[in-house]
Amino acid sequence: AKKWRSLSKQELNQILMETPPVWKGSSKLFRNLNEKGVISYTEYLFLLCILTKPHAGFRIAFNMFDTDGNEMVDKKEFLVLQEIFRKKNEKRERKGDEEKRAMLRLQLYGYHTSTNSVLKTEGEDLVPRSYWDTLRRSTSQALFSDLAERADEISSSLSDTTLLVHFFGKKGKAELNFEDFYRFMDNLQTEVLEIEFLSYSNGMNTISEEDFAHILLRYTNVENTASYLENMRCMIPEEKGITFEEFRSFFQFLNNLEDFTIAMQMYNFASRSIGQDEFKRAVYVATGVKLSPHLVNTVFKIFDVDRDDQLSYKEFIGIMKDRLNRGFRGYKPIQRYTTFKSCVRKELYSR
């Protein structure tokens, strides 16, 4: 286990002084910072929220932060939305604690009590299910709640973090425009994908089709992954490899899985399987992403369990939807501030 690390005020200030401005951001930001960066837990939730979201959703996120509609996000606006994230997380934890207590009562005394009444009194049934939903639906909260009025109080009560300095400068006076915000979110997605890809490529330009299958299946509820891997080995006897561009394009597509599902339904594919050409066209129409023929063929060989060169909803979409929860499955916060390196490590490997 990794030991706790305490930072003195001087050490923290030195870390913040070395934080690059947002216009110098790149897809190596986290790796260049290594251990020299700190983020709050709510910022960690925000970063995880970004990882599986389509590029079209970046504008939604920016507009949610830009509560005064001036096409710029300042530090106070960012902190208000973070406070809403924090409040939602507290409600999630209370809900989890209540469910644990109910289960304990069932085990000890043999009766089950519903948590519905408790949750309803706290308005939990009105809380969006995911942090992304929170971001999308929180404009009115930010504009009309006491949080907006308490923005100065919230700002003064929190220590600066690497992310705040990166976005708003060392004095907190800079503002964030959409172009910089978009580039940051795109770079974050790319960086995490690069880390995953490089962990399998061993310095090569490609990863094997089998490694690609491992990456896809390890975030799902598939129990017998060996059968999928064996199926793929039989269907693709000669390894060609998956490039990073192919790898990245596929995960861009997965981030648009909901739109792809709608496209399939509109094409009347929902009740039957689809072939590779239909799959590739539906991906492009729904998401604008062009998948290479080799990548599509590899996906089919992984998930086409009955080997009819057709993919059904159950064979593909039902499994891939599991990945949408990758950032929030089974994670419990252990401290308020944590390093960038440990955040990335936890996201990639704590399954």
Side-chain angles (χ1 to χ4, degrees), residues 10 70 82 85 98 107-108 156 188 202 222 243 290 314 316:
Q10 183 178 2
N70 69 345
Q82 277 205 116
F85 267 48
E98 181 60 29
Q107 293 171 345
L108 292 177
S156 62
L188 176 64
N202 297 317
V222 171
T243 67
K290 290 185 177 181
K314 181 180 179 181
F316 179 70

Side-chain angles (χ1 to χ4, degrees), residues 15-29:
I15 285 174
L16 298 180
M17 285 294 292
E18 296 176 5
T19 302
V22 69
W23 55 270
K24 284 189 176 181
S26 73
S27 64
K28 290 183 171 59
L29 174 66

Side-chain angles (χ1 to χ4, degrees), residues 320-333:
M320 285 295 96
K321 279 191 172 182
D322 291 338
R323 298 191 106 260
L324 297 179
N325 295 321
R326 60 179 294 190
F328 303 104
R329 192 179 297 151
Y331 174 71
K332 294 181 180 179

Side-chain angles (χ1 to χ4, degrees), residues 30-42:
F30 289 168
R31 286 169 284 182
N32 289 342
L33 286 168
N34 199 6
E35 297 283 352
K36 295 181 179 180
V38 291
I39 58 174
S40 68
Y41 177 56
T42 49

Side-chain angles (χ1 to χ4, degrees), residues 14-131:
Q14 183 60 38
I15 285 174
L16 298 180
M17 285 294 292
E18 296 176 5
T19 302
V22 69
W23 55 270
K24 284 189 176 181
S26 73
S27 64
K28 290 183 171 59
L29 174 66
F30 289 168
R31 286 169 284 182
N32 289 342
L33 286 168
N34 199 6
E35 297 283 352
K36 295 181 179 180
V38 291
I39 58 174
S40 68
Y41 177 56
T42 49
E43 288 172 344
Y44 179 43
L45 295 178
F46 166 64
L47 296 177
L48 288 181
C49 178
I50 292 172
L51 292 182
T52 56
K53 294 302 167 280
H55 286 185
F58 292 178
R59 170 57 77 173
I60 295 173
F62 183 82
N63 289 343
M64 294 304 95
F65 282 109
D66 180 22
T67 55
D68 61 8
N70 69 345
E71 293 295 314
M72 302 289 284
V73 171
D74 60 33
K75 185 177 179 180
K76 289 180 182 178
E77 289 174 321
F78 187 79
L79 289 175
V80 165
L81 264 293
Q82 277 205 116
E83 184 71 2
I84 292 174
F85 267 48
R86 186 187 66 79
K87 287 179 176 291
K88 173 172 176 55
N89 187 63
E90 287 179 352
K91 289 181 179 181
R92 276 194 165 192
E93 290 178 347
R94 286 199 299 270
K95 178 181 178 182
D97 290 342
E98 181 60 29
E99 289 173 345
K100 289 178 182 177
R101 286 193 292 270
M103 182 60 67
L104 181 62
R105 285 192 292 269
L106 178 64
Q107 293 171 345
L108 292 177
Y109 306 114
Y111 67 88
H112 178 75
T113 56
S114 173
T115 60
N116 287 343
S117 59
V118 175
L119 298 179
K120 286 183 179 179
T121 58
E122 295 183 355
E124 186 68 31
D125 55 327
L126 300 177
V127 176
R129 288 179 296 175
S130 72
Y131 292 97

Side-chain angles (χ1 to χ4, degrees), residues 294-343:
H294 174 60
L295 182 63
V296 172
N297 182 57
T298 302
V299 170
F300 268 64
K301 296 305 182 282
I302 295 171
F303 294 100
D304 180 20
V305 178
D306 56 12
R307 302 188 182 185
D308 63 351
D309 205 29
Q310 301 276 310
L311 277 191
S312 68
Y313 183 97
K314 181 180 179 181
E315 284 178 321
F316 179 70
I317 294 180
I319 294 174
M320 285 295 96
K321 279 191 172 182
D322 291 338
R323 298 191 106 260
L324 297 179
N325 295 321
R326 60 179 294 190
F328 303 104
R329 192 179 297 151
Y331 174 71
K332 294 181 180 179
I334 58 174
Q335 61 191 87
R336 176 171 174 75
Y337 291 97
T338 185
T339 65
F340 279 109
K341 187 176 180 181
S342 63
C343 282

